[in-house]
Amino acid sequence: MATNEVTLSTYKFYMNGEWKESQSGQTIDIMSPYLYETIGKVQAITKEEVDDAIWSAHDAQKEWAKTSLQQRASYLNKWADELVSRQEEIADTIMREVGKSYKDANNEVLRTADFIRYTIEEALHMHGESMRGDSFPGGSKSKVAIVERIPIGVVLAISPFNYPVNLAAAKIAPALMAGNAVIFKPATQGAISGTKMIEALDEAGLPKGLVALVTGKGSVIGDYLVEHKGMNMISFTGGTNTGVQLAKKATMIPLVLELGGKDPGIVCEDADLKEAAKQIVSGAFSYSGQRCTAIKRVLVHEKVADELVGLVKEEVEKLTVGSPEEGSMIVPLIDNRSADFIQILIADALGKGAEVVIGNKREHNLIYPTLLDHVTEDMRVAWEEPFGPVLPIIRVSSEDEAVQIANASEYGLQASIFTKDVNRAFRISGKLEVGSVQINGRTERGPDHFPFIGIKGSGMGVQGIRKSIESMTREKVTVLNLAE
Ligand code: G3P
């Protein structure tokens, strides 16, 4: 572990099995969102170093592709064990770097180890198929196709700040089990947590070059990585704008993009309002709403709106606000810019007639949980993703109106429907343009083996363990032409 410490808090990047300082001589300060001090520095690497990392990865991948699934599994199992044995250290780093409560950070580490182990099992149990030629008209019985999944090559894994370990491993583990090499580019805020995770992988003895950790300035290496001819697939989680730009730049390679959302919680007049309020508040405000799957608007039938708003307010009043070190659910946002943006959305809504039920208070980058009632379609907060603790309530007069407003969004990640009528739930679900619908539960990604899908501005491709492995392999057909 000490291998990666230049000084107390300057971290090296990782390529070809070595921890290195960049030739650029430059580092990037990582500022804690709640300690308001620099907690470490990461390397600002050069384009030449990116080239070296990618071509070393190609060399390593060729050998890795020859290894058996059991061999790959043994490295990844060690990685999972190593993460668990460093659980406290990594959780503490996540907490300090991205301001997530220690409990949630700790859960993230354990969830990651579980994710890796499930990925191993899934990969071990995935098989190709064979097809008979004579099932097609005029086809011959003597033709048999063997359809296998083979590695895709070098995968670029770009992870966001909000799950700096889990969402990184959710790309790296399937890529490795599928026989690929990985260039891992963490969000800069989150890069120290990502570094700790890669230290654990290094400790597991992974062959040299197979995984590189590249950190640096987006302006220097961002587009360079995405447009690099050595890249065979990109898996990106982050903002929609960045994802759209990435998709324009990356040509002719498979992409999986997990982007933003504006998930609605649709509350019907027959819903269990108390339970709906609990789910909505947990869905909207966990980690201060800094989740792509957070509930980001409530569409409630006007007949039950007053009662629901009262119940949601009661739940919001129970939320703890403050430092992640105290286990608060509402914590300072990742940076001041995020808090500024949320204030703009709130001000716009208030200027157009929305009412504050609770909240609308700010201390530095800490925004208190804010509930806005009587939000209407002309307000920005009805459509834009705050990525923070503000929840708009939009009152609707019918199921159709709820569906219309839900679908008018540029996003299509998830939606929740709260109703006691299963027929109604399926009727509404069938009309919603989203990747997943939760019936009587909050929007969320897990359990992590479920398919995770974003449509429209929320992304492309499918994640979820099996789907991630599939997305990081390509099919190859070998046809046996047997003698008659
Ligand atoms: O924002 C990232 C997204 O993957 C959320 O995951 O588990 O909080 O629903 P989760």
PDB file of all heavy atoms in Angstrom, residues 76-93:
ATOM      1  N   LEU A  76      -9.833 -11.965  -9.460  1.00  0.00           N
ATOM      2  CA  LEU A  76     -10.916 -11.058  -9.054  1.00  0.00           C
ATOM      3  C   LEU A  76     -11.430 -11.381  -7.654  1.00  0.00           C
ATOM      4  O   LEU A  76     -11.836 -10.489  -6.916  1.00  0.00           O
ATOM      5  CB  LEU A  76     -12.050 -11.058 -10.093  1.00  0.00           C
ATOM      6  CG  LEU A  76     -11.845  -9.961 -11.151  1.00  0.00           C
ATOM      7  CD1 LEU A  76     -10.764 -10.317 -12.148  1.00  0.00           C
ATOM      8  CD2 LEU A  76     -13.135  -9.603 -11.857  1.00  0.00           C
ATOM      9  N   ASN A  77     -11.400 -12.661  -7.293  1.00  0.00           N
ATOM     10  CA  ASN A  77     -11.786 -13.002  -5.920  1.00  0.00           C
ATOM     11  C   ASN A  77     -10.820 -12.381  -4.923  1.00  0.00           C
ATOM     12  O   ASN A  77     -11.223 -11.872  -3.873  1.00  0.00           O
ATOM     13  CB  ASN A  77     -11.816 -14.523  -5.737  1.00  0.00           C
ATOM     14  CG  ASN A  77     -13.195 -15.094  -6.038  1.00  0.00           C
ATOM     15  OD1 ASN A  77     -14.213 -14.507  -5.657  1.00  0.00           O
ATOM     16  ND2 ASN A  77     -13.237 -16.210  -6.733  1.00  0.00           N
ATOM     17  N   LYS A  78      -9.531 -12.400  -5.284  1.00  0.00           N
ATOM     18  CA  LYS A  78      -8.533 -11.774  -4.384  1.00  0.00           C
ATOM     19  C   LYS A  78      -8.800 -10.274  -4.293  1.00  0.00           C
ATOM     20  O   LYS A  78      -8.629  -9.666  -3.236  1.00  0.00           O
ATOM     21  CB  LYS A  78      -7.119 -12.017  -4.924  1.00  0.00           C
ATOM     22  CG  LYS A  78      -6.599 -13.400  -4.621  1.00  0.00           C
ATOM     23  CD  LYS A  78      -5.129 -13.517  -5.035  1.00  0.00           C
ATOM     24  CE  LYS A  78      -4.785 -14.965  -5.326  1.00  0.00           C
ATOM     25  NZ  LYS A  78      -3.862 -15.164  -6.425  1.00  0.00           N
ATOM     26  N   TRP A  79      -9.182  -9.699  -5.410  1.00  0.00           N
ATOM     27  CA  TRP A  79      -9.478  -8.252  -5.415  1.00  0.00           C
ATOM     28  C   TRP A  79     -10.624  -7.964  -4.437  1.00  0.00           C
ATOM     29  O   TRP A  79     -10.534  -7.041  -3.611  1.00  0.00           O
ATOM     30  CB  TRP A  79      -9.845  -7.822  -6.843  1.00  0.00           C
ATOM     31  CG  TRP A  79     -10.117  -6.364  -7.021  1.00  0.00           C
ATOM     32  CD1 TRP A  79      -9.665  -5.333  -6.240  1.00  0.00           C
ATOM     33  CD2 TRP A  79     -10.909  -5.758  -8.056  1.00  0.00           C
ATOM     34  NE1 TRP A  79     -10.130  -4.135  -6.732  1.00  0.00           N
ATOM     35  CE2 TRP A  79     -10.886  -4.368  -7.837  1.00  0.00           C
ATOM     36  CE3 TRP A  79     -11.625  -6.257  -9.139  1.00  0.00           C
ATOM     37  CZ2 TRP A  79     -11.564  -3.477  -8.668  1.00  0.00           C
ATOM     38  CZ3 TRP A  79     -12.286  -5.374  -9.977  1.00  0.00           C
ATOM     39  CH2 TRP A  79     -12.260  -3.997  -9.741  1.00  0.00           C
ATOM     40  N   ALA A  80     -11.689  -8.763  -4.539  1.00  0.00           N
ATOM     41  CA  ALA A  80     -12.839  -8.548  -3.646  1.00  0.00           C
ATOM     42  C   ALA A  80     -12.413  -8.709  -2.189  1.00  0.00           C
ATOM     43  O   ALA A  80     -12.777  -7.899  -1.323  1.00  0.00           O
ATOM     44  CB  ALA A  80     -13.962  -9.523  -3.996  1.00  0.00           C
ATOM     45  N   ASP A  81     -11.603  -9.731  -1.919  1.00  0.00           N
ATOM     46  CA  ASP A  81     -11.141  -9.953  -0.538  1.00  0.00           C
ATOM     47  C   ASP A  81     -10.322  -8.755  -0.057  1.00  0.00           C
ATOM     48  O   ASP A  81     -10.451  -8.308   1.082  1.00  0.00           O
ATOM     49  CB  ASP A  81     -10.247 -11.208  -0.460  1.00  0.00           C
ATOM     50  CG  ASP A  81     -11.032 -12.483  -0.713  1.00  0.00           C
ATOM     51  OD1 ASP A  81     -12.277 -12.427  -0.667  1.00  0.00           O
ATOM     52  OD2 ASP A  81     -10.397 -13.524  -0.983  1.00  0.00           O
ATOM     53  N   GLU A  82      -9.479  -8.279  -0.951  1.00  0.00           N
ATOM     54  CA  GLU A  82      -8.602  -7.155  -0.592  1.00  0.00           C
ATOM     55  C   GLU A  82      -9.427  -5.892  -0.291  1.00  0.00           C
ATOM     56  O   GLU A  82      -9.127  -5.144   0.639  1.00  0.00           O
ATOM     57  CB  GLU A  82      -7.629  -6.912  -1.757  1.00  0.00           C
ATOM     58  CG  GLU A  82      -6.436  -6.049  -1.448  1.00  0.00           C
ATOM     59  CD  GLU A  82      -5.533  -6.619  -0.367  1.00  0.00           C
ATOM     60  OE1 GLU A  82      -5.382  -7.850  -0.257  1.00  0.00           O
ATOM     61  OE2 GLU A  82      -4.978  -5.789   0.383  1.00  0.00           O
ATOM     62  N   LEU A  83     -10.469  -5.676  -1.076  1.00  0.00           N
ATOM     63  CA  LEU A  83     -11.327  -4.510  -0.824  1.00  0.00           C
ATOM     64  C   LEU A  83     -11.973  -4.618   0.551  1.00  0.00           C
ATOM     65  O   LEU A  83     -12.041  -3.633   1.300  1.00  0.00           O
ATOM     66  CB  LEU A  83     -12.432  -4.404  -1.892  1.00  0.00           C
ATOM     67  CG  LEU A  83     -12.007  -3.942  -3.280  1.00  0.00           C
ATOM     68  CD1 LEU A  83     -13.175  -4.047  -4.260  1.00  0.00           C
ATOM     69  CD2 LEU A  83     -11.489  -2.500  -3.251  1.00  0.00           C
ATOM     70  N   VAL A  84     -12.422  -5.813   0.882  1.00  0.00           N
ATOM     71  CA  VAL A  84     -13.074  -5.988   2.185  1.00  0.00           C
ATOM     72  C   VAL A  84     -12.053  -5.789   3.307  1.00  0.00           C
ATOM     73  O   VAL A  84     -12.353  -5.154   4.316  1.00  0.00           O
ATOM     74  CB  VAL A  84     -13.756  -7.379   2.278  1.00  0.00           C
ATOM     75  CG1 VAL A  84     -14.297  -7.625   3.685  1.00  0.00           C
ATOM     76  CG2 VAL A  84     -14.879  -7.480   1.254  1.00  0.00           C
ATOM     77  N   SER A  85     -10.841  -6.277   3.093  1.00  0.00           N
ATOM     78  CA  SER A  85      -9.862  -6.117   4.166  1.00  0.00           C
ATOM     79  C   SER A  85      -9.432  -4.657   4.316  1.00  0.00           C
ATOM     80  O   SER A  85      -8.977  -4.246   5.379  1.00  0.00           O
ATOM     81  CB  SER A  85      -8.664  -7.048   3.969  1.00  0.00           C
ATOM     82  OG  SER A  85      -7.852  -6.543   2.963  1.00  0.00           O
ATOM     83  N   ARG A  86      -9.619  -3.843   3.282  1.00  0.00           N
ATOM     84  CA  ARG A  86      -9.281  -2.408   3.383  1.00  0.00           C
ATOM     85  C   ARG A  86     -10.534  -1.547   3.520  1.00  0.00           C
ATOM     86  O   ARG A  86     -10.465  -0.328   3.290  1.00  0.00           O
ATOM     87  CB  ARG A  86      -8.583  -1.952   2.112  1.00  0.00           C
ATOM     88  CG  ARG A  86      -7.254  -2.571   1.884  1.00  0.00           C
ATOM     89  CD  ARG A  86      -6.779  -2.227   0.498  1.00  0.00           C
ATOM     90  NE  ARG A  86      -5.444  -2.712   0.304  1.00  0.00           N
ATOM     91  CZ  ARG A  86      -4.448  -1.978  -0.202  1.00  0.00           C
ATOM     92  NH1 ARG A  86      -4.659  -0.737  -0.562  1.00  0.00           N
ATOM     93  NH2 ARG A  86      -3.250  -2.477  -0.343  1.00  0.00           N
ATOM     94  N   GLN A  87     -11.615  -2.199   3.831  1.00  0.00           N
ATOM     95  CA  GLN A  87     -12.923  -1.545   3.854  1.00  0.00           C
ATOM     96  C   GLN A  87     -12.925  -0.199   4.581  1.00  0.00           C
ATOM     97  O   GLN A  87     -13.400   0.806   4.049  1.00  0.00           O
ATOM     98  CB  GLN A  87     -13.860  -2.539   4.543  1.00  0.00           C
ATOM     99  CG  GLN A  87     -15.272  -2.146   4.679  1.00  0.00           C
ATOM    100  CD  GLN A  87     -15.996  -3.223   5.494  1.00  0.00           C
ATOM    101  OE1 GLN A  87     -15.583  -4.377   5.519  1.00  0.00           O
ATOM    102  NE2 GLN A  87     -17.049  -2.838   6.158  1.00  0.00           N
ATOM    103  N   GLU A  88     -12.357  -0.173   5.770  1.00  0.00           N
ATOM    104  CA  GLU A  88     -12.437   1.066   6.572  1.00  0.00           C
ATOM    105  C   GLU A  88     -11.647   2.185   5.924  1.00  0.00           C
ATOM    106  O   GLU A  88     -12.094   3.330   5.840  1.00  0.00           O
ATOM    107  CB  GLU A  88     -11.906   0.816   7.979  1.00  0.00           C
ATOM    108  CG  GLU A  88     -12.877   0.001   8.796  1.00  0.00           C
ATOM    109  CD  GLU A  88     -12.345  -0.336  10.163  1.00  0.00           C
ATOM    110  OE1 GLU A  88     -11.368   0.298  10.606  1.00  0.00           O
ATOM    111  OE2 GLU A  88     -12.895  -1.264  10.780  1.00  0.00           O
ATOM    112  N   GLU A  89     -10.463   1.831   5.449  1.00  0.00           N
ATOM    113  CA  GLU A  89      -9.599   2.840   4.822  1.00  0.00           C
ATOM    114  C   GLU A  89     -10.265   3.400   3.562  1.00  0.00           C
ATOM    115  O   GLU A  89     -10.280   4.621   3.333  1.00  0.00           O
ATOM    116  CB  GLU A  89      -8.261   2.173   4.457  1.00  0.00           C
ATOM    117  CG  GLU A  89      -7.308   3.056   3.704  1.00  0.00           C
ATOM    118  CD  GLU A  89      -6.294   2.246   2.883  1.00  0.00           C
ATOM    119  OE1 GLU A  89      -6.190   1.022   3.084  1.00  0.00           O
ATOM    120  OE2 GLU A  89      -5.643   2.859   2.036  1.00  0.00           O
ATOM    121  N   ILE A  90     -10.841   2.512   2.761  1.00  0.00           N
ATOM    122  CA  ILE A  90     -11.461   2.982   1.508  1.00  0.00           C
ATOM    123  C   ILE A  90     -12.722   3.781   1.808  1.00  0.00           C
ATOM    124  O   ILE A  90     -12.966   4.837   1.212  1.00  0.00           O
ATOM    125  CB  ILE A  90     -11.744   1.797   0.550  1.00  0.00           C
ATOM    126  CG1 ILE A  90     -10.432   1.084   0.197  1.00  0.00           C
ATOM    127  CG2 ILE A  90     -12.428   2.287  -0.716  1.00  0.00           C
ATOM    128  CD1 ILE A  90     -10.585  -0.163  -0.648  1.00  0.00           C
ATOM    129  N   ALA A  91     -13.511   3.295   2.768  1.00  0.00           N
ATOM    130  CA  ALA A  91     -14.750   4.021   3.112  1.00  0.00           C
ATOM    131  C   ALA A  91     -14.408   5.414   3.639  1.00  0.00           C
ATOM    132  O   ALA A  91     -15.062   6.410   3.293  1.00  0.00           O
ATOM    133  CB  ALA A  91     -15.538   3.233   4.153  1.00  0.00           C
ATOM    134  N   ASP A  92     -13.369   5.485   4.428  1.00  0.00           N
ATOM    135  CA  ASP A  92     -12.953   6.781   4.976  1.00  0.00           C
ATOM    136  C   ASP A  92     -12.523   7.721   3.840  1.00  0.00           C
ATOM    137  O   ASP A  92     -12.828   8.912   3.848  1.00  0.00           O
ATOM    138  CB  ASP A  92     -11.793   6.549   5.964  1.00  0.00           C
ATOM    139  CG  ASP A  92     -11.437   7.811   6.697  1.00  0.00           C
ATOM    140  OD1 ASP A  92     -12.290   8.293   7.463  1.00  0.00           O
ATOM    141  OD2 ASP A  92     -10.326   8.344   6.465  1.00  0.00           O
ATOM    142  N   THR A  93     -11.838   7.154   2.849  1.00  0.00           N
ATOM    143  CA  THR A  93     -11.408   7.972   1.703  1.00  0.00           C
ATOM    144  C   THR A  93     -12.617   8.468   0.916  1.00  0.00           C
ATOM    145  O   THR A  93     -12.684   9.644   0.530  1.00  0.00           O
ATOM    146  CB  THR A  93     -10.481   7.147   0.773  1.00  0.00           C
ATOM    147  OG1 THR A  93      -9.404   6.643   1.551  1.00  0.00           O
ATOM    148  CG2 THR A  93      -9.947   7.990  -0.365  1.00  0.00           C
TER     149      THR A  93
END
